[in-house]
Amino acid sequence: MGKKRRKFSDKFKAKIALEAVRGVKTLTELAAEHQVHPNQISKWKKQLLENASELFSNGSGSSVKSEDEVTAPLYEEIGRLKMDIKWLEKKALSLPAVKRRNWIRPERNYSIRRQCRLASVSRSVIYYKPVPESGENLRFMRLIDEQYLRHPEFGSPRMTDKLREQGYSVNHKRTARLMRKMGLQAITPGPHTSKPARKHRIYPYLLRDVEIKNVNQVWSADITYIPMRCGFMYLAAVIDWRSRYVLAWELSVVPPL
C-alpha cells in the first residue's frame, strides 16, 4: 500500500511561504523544521510573490482585488524587513570583533557558517586554538624578567647577549618577541617624549606650589611586584609625604602558572 499523501492547510502554506520570503531561515532549515520538501516551500514562495491575490484560495467567490493592491503591502513589509536587517547588521558591525565572536555558539540551531556570516566573523577565528608557549620559552621569559629587574635599560640585543653569556642558544628575534609579549621595553628616551598629544586632556598637578608642612597632609600610594622562586608577590603601600612613614601596606601572592 502506497504512502498516504500529506495535505496542508492554506494557513500553514501561507505561514511557511511568508517565512521563506522573509529569509530569516533557509529553505533547508524550514524544510527540516516543518517536515516539508524544500521544493514545495520554494513553490509556495513563488506563488506568494507572483499571484498573491489568489494565493491558496478555496473558491469561496470572495471579491478579488487587483494584483498591485494585494502585493503592494507585502512588498512594503519585505522592504521594512530588509531595512531592519541592514540596520541590525550595521549596528552589529560597529561592535568590537571580540564581542561578536562571543555570539557564536555551536549548540544553536544555526550552523557555525551561518552564525559567522550573520556576525561578520571569519570562521577561521572560531576554529583557531591558540598554541601556548613552550616550557623553554617560559624559562627564557623568567630569565629575561630577572635580568630586566637588574638592568631595565637593556633592550633585546643586550638581553640576548646576557642570555648567551649564561649558555643559552637564543637569537635576538626570539628575545624581542618574548619581551614584547611580556610588555618589557628598555628604559630609554623615545621619540617626541616631551611632545604632548593634542587630543589628550592635561590634568593639573594639584600639589604644585603646595608646601607640605604637616603630617597627614599628603598621602601617596604605589604598587610593585616582587619575584619569588614560585610566582610573584604584589606589594601595595600608602606613605605619608611629610614623615615618609608607611601608613598601610598589603601583600598579594600570585601562584605560578
Side-chain angles (χ1 to χ4, degrees):
M1 184 176 180
K3 185 178 180 181
K4 187 177 181 180
R5 186 173 182 179
R6 296 179 59 189
K7 293 184 179 180
F8 304 101
S9 62
D10 297 343
K11 186 177 180 180
F12 177 81
K13 296 176 183 179
K15 176 184 175 182
I16 304 304
L18 187 58
E19 289 184 8
V21 170
R22 289 175 177 174
V24 179
K25 298 181 180 179
T26 63
L27 295 181
T28 305
E29 292 171 345
L30 289 173
E33 180 178 353
H34 300 284
Q35 300 297 319
V36 182
H37 198 277
N39 293 343
Q40 188 68 59
I41 299 178
S42 179
K43 180 180 178 181
W44 294 342
K45 177 182 176 182
K46 184 177 180 181
Q47 290 177 351
L48 176 63
L49 296 177
E50 292 182 353
N51 194 17
S53 60
E54 299 178 358
L55 178 62
F56 310 135
S57 63
N58 53 8
S60 59
S62 58
S63 60
V64 179
K65 298 181 181 180
S66 64
E67 185 175 354
D68 294 336
E69 291 177 348
V70 175
T71 58
L74 178 62
Y75 284 113
E76 288 179 2
E77 182 180 357
I78 295 174
R80 286 195 297 268
L81 288 172
K82 290 182 178 179
M83 291 178 63
D84 293 341
I85 293 173
K86 288 182 179 180
W87 181 84
L88 290 174
E89 290 178 351
K90 185 177 180 181
K91 193 73 174 178
L93 291 177
S94 63
L95 297 176
V98 178
K99 189 171 184 179
R100 285 186 277 118
R101 284 199 296 267
N102 295 332
W103 297 346
I104 312 301
R105 294 288 187 274
E107 63 273 10
R108 290 177 175 169
N109 295 330
Y110 295 104
S111 62
I112 296 294
R113 181 176 183 178
R114 184 170 178 81
Q115 292 184 50
C116 291
R117 183 170 61 84
L118 293 174
S120 297
V121 176
S122 176
R123 279 191 295 164
S124 59
V125 178
I126 304 301
Y127 296 132
Y128 173 74
K129 301 298 181 183
V131 180
E133 292 289 347
S134 62
E136 186 180 29
N137 283 343
L138 294 177
R139 184 167 63 253
F140 284 153
M141 293 169 71
R142 179 59 185 256
L143 294 172
I144 290 172
D145 188 51
E146 293 177 357
Q147 288 294 333
Y148 187 81
L149 290 176
R150 302 189 187 99
H151 302 281
E153 73 279 3
F154 279 9
S156 59
R158 297 179 67 181
M159 191 68 71
T160 304
D161 295 338
K162 277 292 182 181
L163 293 177
R164 288 176 178 176
E165 290 176 3
Q166 298 179 17
Y168 296 99
S169 178
V170 59
N171 57 16
H172 69 280
K173 293 182 180 180
R174 189 179 194 179
T175 305
R177 184 183 70 82
L178 295 178
M179 290 183 66
R180 185 167 56 252
K181 186 171 185 178
M182 298 169 65
L184 302 181
Q185 187 177 4
I187 301 178
T188 55
H192 306 290
T193 54
S194 60
K195 184 178 180 181
R198 290 180 297 177
K199 295 183 179 180
H200 288 183
R201 179 182 175 185
I202 300 177
Y203 293 90
Y205 182 52
L206 301 179
L207 299 179
R208 190 183 305 277
D209 301 328
V210 175
E211 187 177 357
I212 303 174
K213 297 181 179 180
N214 304 321
V215 178
N216 293 333
Q217 183 179 356
V218 177
W219 292 354
S220 66
D222 198 3
I223 186 172
T224 185
Y225 76 98
I226 306 171
M228 307 296 291
R229 183 178 296 273
C230 295
F232 299 91
M233 295 180 66
Y234 287 89
L235 173 63
V238 180
I239 189 172
D240 181 83
W241 277 34
R242 178 63 181 178
S243 63
R244 313 304 296 176
Y245 182 76
V246 178
L247 302 174
W249 59 273
E250 186 72 23
L251 276 176
S252 177
V253 180
V254 179
L257 298 176

